[in-house]
Amino acid sequence: MKRDFDVIVIGAGPAGLAAASAAAAHGASVAIVDDNPYSGGQIWRGGAAAQQDERARQLWAELQARQAVVLQQTRVLYAPEPGKLLLQTPQQAQVLSYRRLVLATGARELLLPFPGWTLPGVSGAGGLQALAKGGYPVQGKRVVVAGSGPLLLAVAATLQDKGAIVSAIVEQAGSMQLARFALGLFATPEKLKQAIQLGRKLGNVPYYRNSYISAAHGAGMLESVSVRHGSRDERWSCDLLACGYGLLPNTELAASLGCTLRGQAVQADEWQQTSQPNIFCAGESSGVGGVDLALVEGRIAGLAAVERQDEASLHFAERARWQRFAARLERGFALRPELRALADDDTIVCRCEDVCHGELKEHESWRSAKLHTRCGMGPCQGRICGGATGLLYGWRPDSVRVPVVPARIDSIITS
């Protein structure tokens, strides 16, 4: 297989596919690396070619026509030297070289701990949506969808399509926040249309504003949830709880390559270039903003990577439009302070190492907690508890260890 490419794109979601297509259109040799068995990322899960969204099918057709190399079920472990990446497939490890690198590593759900959140039957909102799309049986199950953001509506619609009984959607944002966000949708008619369609589809599902899950209950399995609705506490029976509080950019690979972070996202300039020469970043990893922003950022990054800034600049106005939408999204669904007080001393925060809130609140930093409790040192390497400890205690990981994902010993030895 070819091992030297003009452009390597990490991530086969909307941003990655758009970047790869834009670069390949100008004759560059392009490889796309993704750890999933199908292209499309989370938003186009199951394969770009199989989506109803015409943009997904078109991008995939363009990449096939332009002979881009797609490496699926392949993970990036680390960079053994500048311009090279060590990859791991299910069968082997290999090193690829690049002249330009585009990071489109997407985002993951923010999960916040509350009593009972580790019970079987409790999952992330997007996590349950992905499971249902993959065939997990939800038909006839009573499901509460909770947390924050427009994703809750999309999750509820997917679960309903799969036969689940969506008992309620529980949104932590208040009525005024939601009203301002809804008014802002008139600036993006596409999003307004989507919201109206989802609203009609979910017209029979109760939607609770200014509400959040305070606890989950069950003897070995989820049986019910406690809901704080305004100033009232209620308890509802259910079989499944899908609970997610937005998204966090995946920045571990970028940080390991020396890219500067801005807040929780990778810092990128007007060309989507990071602080490192020849490394670009697009999509949710450079700031959560949805599929439309990811697509235009991907196009700009792909064009800039092949030095077509003249064409890339033509997309600046569209990017600015969707950046304004992203800013409204962030303001509209800002998390309420009460969510920081849900965990009691016995609530597990680090699920991998079974470290509880009572132990962690005694520490002043992520490093101190890791040294004394092993928080963040399990298989997920802090990807779950890192977001939670950031909200609960204001901690930020001060370094990224390589490999950035779990690796086989022989992959590292043979590199």
Side-chain angles (χ1 to χ4, degrees), residues 246-258:
L247 300 173
L248 288 174
N250 290 322
T251 60
E252 288 78 15
L253 178 57
S256 75
L257 294 169

Side-chain angles (χ1 to χ4, degrees), residues 202-275:
L202 299 169
N204 62 330
V205 178
Y207 185 90
Y208 293 87
R209 305 170 182 82
N210 194 33
S211 305
Y212 54 90
I213 303 298
S214 58
H217 313 279
M221 284 288 295
L222 177 68
E223 297 171 0
S224 64
V225 293
S226 292
V227 182
R228 173 63 61 88
H229 178 52
S231 60
R232 302 195 314 273
D233 288 308
E234 300 178 3
R235 188 153 169 170
W236 303 341
S237 297
C238 61
D239 302 306
L240 297 171
L241 168 63
C243 190
Y245 289 95
L247 300 173
L248 288 174
N250 290 322
T251 60
E252 288 78 15
L253 178 57
S256 75
L257 294 169
C259 301
T260 299
L261 303 185
R262 182 186 66 252
Q264 296 181 326
V266 180
Q267 179 178 300
D269 67 12
E270 62 180 344
W271 309 109
Q272 300 298 137
Q273 182 167 324
T274 71
S275 60

